[in-house]
Structures are given as C-alpha cells and as structure tokens.
Amino acid sequence: MLESMSSVNIISAAVIALVIVTSVAQSDDGNMDNVARFAGVPGVPGSPGSNGSPGRDGRDGRDGTLGHKGERGEKGMRGPPGLEGNVGGAGPAGSRGEKGSSGRKGDSGKVGPQGPKGDTGLKGSKGKVGAKGANGQQTEALNWKQCVWKRVDSKDTGLIQECRFKKIYGNSALHVAYGGNLRVKCGYGSTCCSRWYFTFDNDECTGPMAIDGIVYKQTTADNPHRHRQIEGYCENIASGDVRVGFNIGKCSGYSVGDGYTGWNSVSRIMIAEVPPAQQ
C-alpha cells in the first residue's frame, strides 16, 4: 500500500517539474541552457483540491428514430362503470320483420267478476219450424163439472145446493170448491158463528177430513157481505153417481148466526175427478 502511494507521488513530482521547466524555457526565448542551470529537486506533491461546481445541463439531444412496434400487452383489468350518458334521439324506424310462428295456446284464466247488465239486443229473426215430435200416449180426458146459480138463500142451517157427479174410478179423489158471497149477522149484544161445508151422499168427507169454512161475528155494528172460497180434496169415495152438497150450520160451541148465502152475485160448485195422491 505504501509502495503504491510513493510511486504516485514520484510521478506527480515529475509532472510538476516538467511543467516548470517548460514554462521557463518558453519565457527565455527558448534558451535551453537556462533549463539545465535552474532545474532543482522535485517538490512534494500538494494535496488534491476541492471539487468544482457542477456544470450546466447540456442541450437536449435530437429525437431518435422511431422504434419497431412492440408486442400487444396483456388485457388490463376492467375499469369502473362510467357515468350514464344522455338519452340519444330516436333512430329511424326499422323495416318490418317477418311474421313469427304462432305460439302455443295459453292456459285458461280465472273467471272474472260478473259485469254489468248489457242493453237489450235486437229481436232475432224467426227460426225454422222444428221437426214433428213423436206421437204421445193418449190420456183420459179430465172428468169435471160445475153447478152455477144466482139467488139469495137466507137459511141458517141445511142444504144450500146439491150437484150430482158421475165418478169413474174407484181409487181416484174428488176436488170440490165453492165460490160466492157469504155473510153472518148476530143478534144485539151477542156473538155468533156460521159454518159452510161439503157433503158426499149426505155424509161429510172422512178421507182425510171435512171440507168446510166458518164466519165468526162479535158485534152487530156492521153487516159485511164478502166473496169467499172453500175447497179441498176428498178420497175414499166409491165410483158411480155421487151427490155433492153445499150446506150451512152452526159452529161447535157457539150459537147459530143469521146466515146469508149468495147475495147479489153468482154462486158455483166445481167438481173434478183427479188421480190418487202420492204416497
């Protein structure tokens, strides 16, 4: 290490001495004799001086020639979505496309609520005459009769009118009815009741019960004449001639009233033979 430093110092001293000699020689008109006369022993090299200030940056160099196109880099990560842009104007209408194929039939929907009643439609044209129906079975004609009269009967008890009827079937029933004006009037300060009823050959109906109607009065202040209807069905009557009677009498538990049958109007008894009742 010391040997390397001594060599450096010797070389530095030699360089300095050469510089001095050269300077003297150049200042003395090139007289080389003075050089030999003034040359001395080289001095010790001085210590290195401090670094000078950095120089200014040089000017930018010229642009280099365009390099070759580099290879395509890898696809970068997807960036965040941008802000929503303004809605653009409507574009021109496109051409009409081809008709698509029919879709499958959808399921039936639920029944909706009933709508309001519509207006009455126009009367339709007369339809064609229908085909003739099959021949029906012949049935027995209805067996019926009525007896009619117009008179006033003032009796309080007894037969008012009799009507004879021919009954065809033994198991049939008779439907009888009376229609006409009936009235009852009581004595002063008393109550009364009158009863009108049907008989069959002088006996009241027992199949199932009597066919009758009553009129009850509790005052003598009025004298009402009313149209009344009494009717019913009677069973268990034998076939053949039947005497149907319409009668008046007293009510059970009451005194007989002043009866009046058929005032100023027509009275009638109606009789019809009907099939037996259902079981």
Side-chain angles (χ1 to χ4, degrees):
M1 182 70 175
L2 293 176
E3 293 177 356
S4 298
M5 292 182 64
S6 299
S7 299
V8 172
N9 291 336
I10 293 172
I11 294 171
S12 298
V15 172
I16 294 172
L18 180 59
V19 173
I20 294 173
V21 171
T22 304
S23 297
V24 173
Q26 289 178 354
S27 65
D28 199 12
D29 295 330
N31 192 347
M32 296 298 293
D33 293 333
N34 293 330
V35 176
R37 221 184 319 177
F38 290 99
V41 179
V44 178
S47 60
S50 61
N51 296 331
S53 300
R56 295 181 179 180
D57 295 337
R59 296 178 63 185
D60 295 337
R62 294 181 181 180
D63 294 338
T65 58
L66 184 64
H68 296 290
K69 183 177 181 181
E71 295 181 357
R72 184 171 182 176
E74 295 181 358
K75 184 176 181 180
M77 297 178 63
R78 184 173 182 178
L83 299 176
E84 185 177 356
N86 296 328
V87 178
S95 58
R96 185 172 182 177
E98 296 180 358
K99 183 178 180 181
S101 58
S102 299
R104 69 176 185 86
K105 184 176 180 181
D107 298 332
S108 299
K110 296 182 179 179
V111 178
Q114 183 175 357
K117 184 178 180 180
D119 298 332
T120 302
L122 300 176
K123 184 177 180 180
S125 58
K126 186 176 181 180
K128 296 181 180 180
V129 177
K132 185 178 180 180
N135 294 329
Q137 295 180 352
Q138 185 174 358
T139 59
E140 296 292 339
L142 179 65
N143 183 24
W144 67 278
K145 182 180 180 179
Q146 70 172 340
C147 297
V148 181
W149 69 96
K150 186 177 181 180
R151 71 175 189 275
V152 174
D153 194 318
S154 60
K155 68 171 59 81
D156 298 332
T157 60
L159 180 66
I160 301 295
Q161 182 69 37
E162 186 178 83
C163 185
R164 292 181 177 271
F165 184 79
K166 186 172 183 63
K167 190 171 182 289
I168 299 175
Y169 303 99
N171 64 342
S172 63
L174 291 183
H175 177 209
V176 295
Y178 167 82
N181 189 280
L182 302 178
R183 185 222 71 173
V184 64
K185 189 176 182 180
C186 303
Y188 181 77
S190 63
T191 59
C192 60
C193 179
S194 292
R195 174 176 178 260
W196 284 265
Y197 58 94
F198 280 96
T199 57
F200 302 89
D201 294 332
N202 296 328
D203 295 323
E204 289 196 55
C205 180
T206 57
M209 297 184 73
I211 302 173
D212 64 354
I214 65 171
V215 178
Y216 171 81
K217 280 294 291 339
Q218 196 174 13
T219 177
T220 59
D222 56 358
N223 185 25
H225 293 70
R226 301 276 193 272
H227 178 87
R228 305 178 191 275
Q229 185 87 6
I230 301 173
E231 65 178 314
Y233 292 89
C234 188
E235 301 173 311
N236 302 329
I237 299 175
S239 61
D241 293 335
V242 181
R243 291 180 292 113
V244 179
F246 187 64
N247 309 263
I248 185 173
K250 66 183 294 291
C251 300
S252 177
Y254 292 90
S255 60
V256 65
D258 181 9
Y260 217 65
T261 305
W263 177 78
N264 202 26
S265 61
V266 174
S267 299
R268 59 173 38 88
I269 295 174
M270 294 162 284
I271 310 169
E273 186 174 8
V274 298
Q278 65 179 7
Q279 298 302 318

